[in-house]
Amino acid sequence: DVYKRQVVQWDPAYDSGSGVYGYAISWDQSPTTLPNTYRDLDGLSYTNLATVDSNSYYFHLRTLDVAGNAAPNAIHSGPYRIDTTPPTASFLTPSGAVNSDYFNVSWTGSDILSDIDSYDVQSSSDYSNWTNWKMDVTFTNANFIGERGVDYYFRVRARDQAGNLSDWANSGVVHVGVVEIYIPVIFRE
């Protein structure tokens, strides 16, 4: 799994001598770090605030007692994959004029650390009032039915597996052409 942040919880430690004072913790990219001997927490959970994306963050927990002693070892948990960077999204087609009121719209996205989870696609005929068209979808193209003589705009955003959202990416204008039909007229005298 990939996370924007990771919540770690644990059961309380036990000390038969002076009692548990708290816990020293470390959150880093080493699998075997021994936390210092200073109390960081007295609760039973920790939420990371990692701001650097990585495939290998580890959580380390060391128990401290009231007498000032630290456990000789630590509990290690991980690796956790952290992804705080939004994905990117863009359109592959369409742009320009189309000769049918039924045309295919396709888009794509990418993410450096985690995969794309879904896309949101909106449409507009005036570039300001957007209508949800395809929301929270995993496919990357769909057929759109428009009206002849109308210009359409599309925008897409991607959501990665950590829940990060890209900015909206806009398509070019798509003009649905009007088919002109010429009917010959014959005048008789």
Side-chain angles (χ1 to χ4, degrees), residues 3-8 27 46-50 57 80 82:
Y3 308 94
K4 285 171 91 166
R5 61 189 179 94
Q6 177 65 42
V7 178
V8 182
W27 179 262
Y46 173 75
T47 302
N48 84 16
L49 301 175
Y57 270 104
Y80 299 102
I82 305 298

Side-chain angles (χ1 to χ4, degrees), residues 94-145:
S95 185
V98 294
N99 292 325
S100 171
D101 55 0
Y102 181 84
F103 55 92
N104 189 268
V105 180
S106 59
W107 54 90
T108 188
S110 65
D111 190 74
I112 295 171
L113 190 60
S114 62
D115 293 327
I116 298 297
D117 186 62
S118 64
Y119 298 93
D120 298 330
V121 185
Q122 295 180 326
S123 66
S124 174
S125 60
D126 62 9
Y127 206 73
S128 62
N129 295 305
W130 294 96
T131 301
N132 292 343
W133 178 45
K134 303 292 181 188
M135 304 301 289
D136 199 26
V137 297
T138 57
F139 48 85
T140 57
N141 70 76
N143 290 319
F144 184 83
I145 301 173

Side-chain angles (χ1 to χ4, degrees), residues 47-113:
T47 302
N48 84 16
L49 301 175
T51 57
V52 177
D53 293 353
S54 174
N55 275 326
S56 59
Y57 270 104
Y58 295 86
F59 176 74
H60 314 280
L61 178 73
R62 187 176 191 184
T63 304
L64 309 172
D65 70 12
V66 174
N69 301 307
N73 51 26
I75 295 172
H76 309 284
S77 177
Y80 299 102
R81 293 176 60 200
I82 305 298
D83 181 0
T84 61
T85 303
T88 60
S90 62
F91 278 95
L92 301 175
T93 60
S95 185
V98 294
N99 292 325
S100 171
D101 55 0
Y102 181 84
F103 55 92
N104 189 268
V105 180
S106 59
W107 54 90
T108 188
S110 65
D111 190 74
I112 295 171
L113 190 60

